[in-house]
Amino acid sequence: MLESFIEKIKQYNPYYDLSRIIKAYNFAEDAHAGQYRKSGEKYFIHPINVALILAELELDESTVIAGLLHDVIEDTKYTFDDIAKEFGEETALLVDGVTKLGKFTYETKEERQAENLRKMFLAMAKDIRVILIKLADRLHNMRTLRHMNEKKKKEKAMETLEIYAPIAHRLGISKIKWELEDLSLRYIDPEGYYDLVDKVAKKRMEREEYINLVIKELKESLNNLNIEYEIYGRPKHFYSIYKKMVYQHKSFEEIFDLTAIRILVDSIKDCYGVLGIVHTMWKPIPGRFKDYIAMPKPNMYQSLHTTVIGPKGEPFEIQIRTWEMHRIAEYGIAAHWKYKEGKVEEGELDKKLTWLRQLLEWQRELKDPKEFMESLKIDLFTNQVFVFTPKGDVVELPFGSTPVDFAYKIHSAVGNSCIGAKVDGRIVPLDYKLKTGNIVEILTSSNNNGPSRDWLKFVKSTHAKNKIKQWFKKERKDENINRGKELLEKEVKRQGYTAKQLLRVDWLNSVVKQLRLHSIDDLYAAVGYGGIALNQVVPKLKEKYRQEQKESQQNQPEEETNKLQERITKSRPSNKAKQGVRVKGIDNILVRFAKCCSPVPGDEIVGYITRGRGITVHRQDCLNVTNAPEAMERLIEVEWDKDKKSSYQTEIQIVAPDRKGLLSEITNIITEAKLHVTAVNAKTTKEKIAIINLTIEISSTDQLLKIMNKFKSMPEVIDVKRVTS
């Protein structure tokens, strides 16, 4: 196995010191001896493949060695010092960086997820190679994901699609990005994936004939230019086709650009020369030409893209770039580690990572995990627009940005004194959405009183939001403290508490500590200027209050429970409870249904004696009952009253690709079933997947199953399930 590994390593890069790599190979093999993967194969297979992926990216020797050793500190007896002693501190730091990231998991709790992502970006800023090793690790895990259980497959695939593939894209490593996306799709929507694979395979012969015809005609014209070139057809990746079908509501037959033609040449001059030939041969489609050579993407990607009407009247895309541009398009940031007399171009690399350092600076102020995640999606994972200053300088902004975002990108003083804007010479509102190519001029006034709070409603970039909040934080602290205190008191009252109950100094100080502030006044001020949301503070205070009440109850004698039990024993047999259930041995007692599991007729149920609140009816499999303290002493038999017709609330979650008419179709199904909806909560992920939660009134589990089956029969629905805590 070592021999074949070394042969592959030598093919990727002849400059490696093979003796060090062999030493690392043997060290890692010994460290992981006796460890196995879920597939049953030796665990050491995994670090070997991670190292090969890194070598294929032509990364430096230390990174390849760190790939071999990346799980050693976390999973074996060896320490950081052991690796530093054997392979040097540089390699040990890389392994240590990946070890810390190994604890990163995608969880639904936003606070935990946000903290893990912060750690990841800090590690990236210290040494970008850490995330390259992590990407290689994730890629091999995705290649072998079939050995996981179904739930784990979907979780890992969704995490990969939402976090790791966008990072690979932002770093310009399309080679890894495309494979991660296709592998994720296979497990997120297997039916859609394999259906697409089958359709593409059936159309491949027809497409290849067409592309070969186009290439033949192109070669005849390009030969007259007397330039070196390479030309080939590049099939589109499954996920990019899938996205067009789902998000643009197109059928497979409506997608013509299943294959793009790529032309590689020696120089930028040749790129534009080839473009001229292409546009002479075929008619370009207006609005489909993109010059990423003059204006590269933030991830360093450069190329000319044009879509033309081909020989048979069918549109197809042509990409034109130099060989060097192609290498950077494939390997992105990793291309900077390719050996050139054994040195890395550090200065050039720092320029390419400016966006990462800006990102970290802008995110530092964000305490709210939800806001952090939203801003991260905007700053890292969304498309960009490129606009110009009146002097012709290019300014890069998130898609959907406004003149205010532009003003703050120029300088915070320009943003704070902004009173208006001109786009392409005409006055526009400050919430105008900028488009690539716009020339933007900001109108300022020294008499301006500063930014408006209303700007926070439409600015897109995290940078602008932070600068606006900072202004209010600095300039109007006393006002913010009073405003924050007022907002907190109002919110506490709105939720049914008094300020005396929740706004206690010791509890507020606890929240101050959790949010990493200095004082209660800082907390009030942050709430006042919008730096901290009310939902970051009030739930923490409510939890303190509930905990105090719970401890108080636990310290009381159990007389209340015993009295209720005694009442149950002595009471006359029950007839029918008003709530649609019968409680064994008792009548006229308060009965309520648990919101955590929302039982409905047909579910196996149990009663739980709740101090001061009668009987709470749960499903028998509800974790809140099985895990409850003193559960056995508090349980009581209950049964459904089959003679009583009642309706019960339950929650259903529908997951489907977001598209026009989706909610309307769901509503029609509910109307036809003559059901009543009491609540709707809908959101769309950045991958355009709609998650819709409906609270509906039903009379039985049979009725519930029927409506769920109708939802499942809707086109493209990914999942329908009953929601329980």
Side-chain angles (χ1 to χ4, degrees):
M1 196 156 62
L2 174 60
E3 290 77 12
S4 63
F5 172 76
I6 293 301
E7 280 304 312
K8 288 178 182 175
I9 289 287
K10 284 196 291 189
Q11 288 172 20
Y12 293 134
N13 197 323
Y15 294 97
Y16 289 138
D17 181 348
L18 295 178
S19 62
R20 287 189 72 223
I21 292 177
I22 291 170
K23 180 182 176 183
Y25 182 101
N26 292 328
F27 186 95
E29 185 176 31
D30 175 65
H32 291 295
Q35 296 178 354
Y36 295 89
R37 305 191 84 207
K38 288 195 180 294
S39 61
E41 64 187 359
K42 288 183 179 179
Y43 187 84
F44 184 51
I45 294 292
H46 172 62
I48 285 176
N49 280 280
V50 170
L52 286 172
I53 292 168
L54 295 168
E56 188 181 353
L57 291 172
E58 298 181 343
L59 286 163
D60 64 302
E61 190 180 292
S62 294
T63 311
V64 174
I65 291 172
L68 282 167
L69 304 173
H70 78 275
D71 280 332
V72 166
I73 294 178
E74 187 171 351
D75 295 336
T76 77
K77 63 183 180 181
Y78 293 104
T79 65
F80 175 92
D81 291 337
D82 294 328
I83 292 176
K85 182 181 176 183
E86 295 293 331
F87 303 99
E89 190 171 351
E90 180 187 14
T91 300
L93 286 169
L94 288 173
V95 175
D96 187 53
V98 181
T99 301
K100 288 174 181 171
L101 292 187
K103 297 172 184 174
F104 165 74
T105 53
Y106 182 85
E107 300 178 25
T108 53
K109 294 179 180 177
E110 285 178 317
E111 196 162 334
R112 175 72 173 159
Q113 185 189 6
E115 280 308 304
N116 282 320
L117 282 172
R118 285 184 207 267
K119 287 179 190 173
M120 177 181 284
F121 290 114
L122 283 170
M124 286 168 67
K126 288 177 183 174
D127 194 328
I128 197 70
R129 290 175 295 175
V130 170
I131 196 62
L132 299 179
I133 298 168
K134 188 64 184 173
L135 286 172
D137 173 50
R138 177 50 60 109
L139 178 56
H140 184 250
N141 282 332
M142 288 300 296
R143 288 173 177 174
T144 55
L145 196 61
R146 62 187 179 279
H147 301 292
M148 295 276 189
N149 62 50
E150 289 303 316
K151 183 182 177 185
K152 203 72 174 174
K153 284 178 188 175
K154 278 202 171 184
E155 284 177 1
K156 287 286 182 188
M158 189 60 77
E159 176 186 65
T160 300
L161 196 60
E162 292 190 341
I163 303 295
Y164 290 101
I167 288 175
H169 171 69
R170 199 65 171 84
L171 296 174
I173 315 173
S174 58
K175 191 176 183 67
I176 286 182
K177 176 219 174 195
W178 290 329
E179 189 174 354
L180 287 176
E181 287 179 339
D182 283 356
L183 288 169
S184 299
L185 178 60
R186 183 197 294 183
Y187 296 106
I188 291 170
D189 183 8
E191 188 177 331
Y193 173 81
Y194 287 110
D195 179 57
L196 184 57
V197 170
D198 184 55
K199 286 176 177 174
V200 170
K202 286 177 180 176
K203 209 168 183 181
R204 180 170 289 125
M205 188 73 72
E206 176 189 335
R207 295 299 303 167
E208 284 179 356
E209 287 178 7
Y210 182 70
I211 291 301
N212 288 336
L213 171 64
V214 171
I215 289 175
K216 182 183 176 184
E217 292 187 19
L218 264 171
K219 282 183 175 179
E220 289 173 0
S221 296
L222 293 179
N223 288 338
N224 296 327
L225 283 180
N226 295 319
I227 62 171
E228 290 290 325
Y229 68 87
E230 183 181 331
I231 182 169
Y232 58 91
R234 181 191 67 82
K236 275 206 178 275
H237 294 270
F238 295 119
Y239 184 67
S240 63
I241 300 170
Y242 180 87
K243 278 202 299 187
K244 280 196 173 184
M245 291 171 65
V246 172
Y247 306 145
Q248 297 179 20
H249 313 297
K250 290 186 176 181
S251 67
F252 179 77
E253 289 69 28
E254 291 177 291
I255 298 175
F256 295 102
D257 56 342
L258 295 175
T259 307
I261 289 174
R262 185 173 288 153
I263 305 171
L264 305 181
V265 294
D266 283 331
S267 67
I268 292 176
K269 178 185 174 184
D270 290 343
C271 289
Y272 288 102
V274 170
L275 178 68
I277 293 290
V278 169
H279 283 180
T280 303
M281 293 175 66
W282 299 296
K283 187 176 181 180
I285 297 177
R288 295 295 299 271
F289 169 65
K290 292 170 185 170
D291 188 342
Y292 294 120
I293 293 179
M295 289 200 301
K297 290 186 178 182
N299 61 8
M300 303 174 293
Y301 179 87
Q302 286 185 289
S303 189
L304 298 175
H305 289 196
T306 186
T307 303
V308 296
I309 303 296
K312 296 180 181 178
E314 287 188 17
F316 67 92
E317 184 183 63
I318 293 182
Q319 299 173 357
I320 309 164
R321 64 181 71 147
T322 66
W323 273 282
E324 179 63 14
M325 289 174 190
H326 179 61
R327 190 172 71 85
I328 292 174
E330 292 286 298
Y331 299 108
I333 203 77
H336 288 271
W337 272 273
K338 186 170 184 180
Y339 273 63
K340 292 178 182 176
E341 300 176 358
K343 295 180 181 177
V344 179
E345 300 172 12
E346 294 291 346
E348 185 65 20
L349 185 62
D350 283 342
K351 288 180 189 174
K352 302 299 183 186
L353 292 177
T354 302
W355 65 269
L356 177 59
R357 292 183 177 86
Q358 285 181 338
L359 175 70
L360 286 167
E361 180 189 335
W362 299 341
Q363 304 295 342
R364 198 171 289 125
E365 290 281 323
L366 298 176
K367 301 285 193 300
D368 182 358
K370 188 173 183 181
E371 188 179 357
F372 174 84
M373 291 304 300
E374 287 303 314
S375 67
L376 187 65
K377 291 171 188 175
I378 292 167
D379 289 331
L380 185 61
F381 305 148
T382 61
N383 293 326
Q384 309 290 304
V385 292
F386 301 90
V387 295
F388 296 94
T389 68
K391 292 182 179 179
D393 296 324
V394 179
V395 175
E396 172 198 336
L397 293 165
F399 182 80
S401 289
T402 66
V404 176
D405 293 282
F406 176 89
Y408 279 103
K409 187 69 179 279
I410 299 301
H411 197 280
S412 57
V414 176
N416 290 337
S417 58
C418 172
I419 58 169
K422 287 183 179 179
V423 172
D424 298 334
R426 63 185 181 88
I427 297 285
V428 297
L430 289 178
D431 61 356
Y432 175 85
K433 297 288 188 294
L434 298 175
K435 301 176 184 66
T436 292
N438 285 154
I439 299 171
V440 186
E441 180 184 353
I442 300 299
L443 308 176
T444 61
S445 170
S446 57
N447 297 322
N448 186 25
N449 292 325
S452 164
R453 288 187 189 275
D454 289 337
W455 292 0
L456 290 169
K457 296 175 184 176
F458 60 75
V459 291
K460 194 71 174 177
S461 64
T462 307
H463 178 62
K465 287 179 183 176
N466 283 348
K467 291 299 180 185
I468 295 167
K469 289 175 182 177
Q470 282 174 15
W471 188 90
F472 282 105
K473 178 182 179 181
K474 182 180 178 182
E475 299 294 327
R476 300 183 180 176
K477 185 167 184 180
D478 290 340
E479 178 187 326
N480 289 329
I481 290 171
N482 293 331
R483 176 181 165 81
K485 190 172 183 180
E486 183 183 333
L487 287 170
L488 265 175
E489 288 176 351
K490 279 185 179 178
E491 181 62 16
V492 163
K493 288 177 183 176
R494 191 186 70 80
Q495 296 198 26
Y497 298 87
T498 65
K500 187 176 180 182
Q501 283 177 313
L502 293 192
L503 300 182
R504 288 170 37 173
V505 173
D506 54 337
W507 292 355
L508 287 169
N509 277 325
S510 174
V511 175
V512 165
K513 189 175 179 181
Q514 289 178 55
L515 296 176
R516 301 172 189 169
L517 299 170
H518 299 295
S519 67
I520 294 175
D521 275 353
D522 285 346
L523 174 64
Y524 285 142
V527 171
Y529 71 76
I532 288 176
L534 289 167
N535 60 15
Q536 283 181 267
V537 181
V538 177
K540 290 179 171 66
L541 297 172
K542 285 166 63 179
E543 183 57 35
K544 290 278 186 187
Y545 181 79
R546 280 195 293 267
Q547 189 64 32
E548 184 182 73
Q549 295 300 307
K550 184 178 178 181
E551 288 172 2
S552 174
Q553 287 180 352
Q554 285 176 346
N555 292 331
Q556 290 174 358
E558 302 234 338
E559 291 179 9
E560 189 178 350
T561 304
N562 294 336
K563 285 179 182 177
L564 184 55
Q565 293 278 21
E566 187 179 342
R567 181 184 169 197
I568 290 170
T569 306
K570 293 180 179 179
S571 178
R572 64 184 181 277
S574 168
N575 292 319
K576 296 175 185 176
K578 294 179 181 178
Q579 292 86 354
V581 295
R582 293 174 175 170
V583 182
K584 184 179 179 181
I586 191 168
D587 196 6
N588 297 326
I589 188 170
L590 177 64
V591 174
R592 64 193 186 93
F593 292 95
K595 291 182 179 179
C596 54
C597 55
S598 302
V600 296
D603 289 332
E604 296 293 326
I605 55 174
V606 66
Y608 186 82
I609 301 169
T610 311
R611 288 192 179 101
R613 289 182 290 173
I615 306 291
T616 304
V617 179
H618 291 261
R619 283 167 47 185
Q620 281 189 3
D621 59 357
C622 179
L623 294 177
N624 286 340
V625 171
T626 56
N627 295 337
E630 307 170 358
M632 295 306 296
E633 291 80 6
R634 293 183 176 225
L635 296 183
I636 184 170
E637 287 185 38
V638 294
E639 63 182 3
W640 294 107
D641 181 0
K642 295 178 182 177
D643 299 329
K644 190 173 183 67
K645 298 296 181 184
S646 300
S647 60
Y648 307 85
Q649 290 192 355
T650 192
E651 190 174 354
I652 297 173
Q653 184 178 89
I654 303 164
V655 181
D658 192 19
R659 56 181 171 80
K660 288 182 181 177
L662 176 63
L663 199 55
S664 175
E665 288 179 30
I666 292 170
T667 305
N668 288 339
I669 289 173
I670 292 169
T671 303
E672 288 173 10
K674 297 180 179 178
L675 295 176
H676 178 57
V677 178
T678 59
V680 178
N681 183 11
K683 63 179 179 180
T684 304
T685 68
K686 66 175 178 298
E687 297 300 331
K688 301 296 182 186
I689 299 297
I691 301 172
I692 301 169
N693 284 38
L694 303 169
T695 303
I696 58 176
E697 290 187 351
I698 59 166
S699 59
S700 67
T701 50
D702 288 342
Q703 194 177 32
L704 176 63
L705 288 172
K706 283 179 184 177
I707 192 71
M708 288 176 69
N709 286 334
K710 286 185 179 179
F711 290 142
K712 287 177 183 177
S713 66
M714 290 170 57
E716 302 174 344
V717 165
I718 297 169
D719 191 24
V720 178
K721 65 182 179 183
R722 184 176 175 185
V723 178
T724 57
S725 63

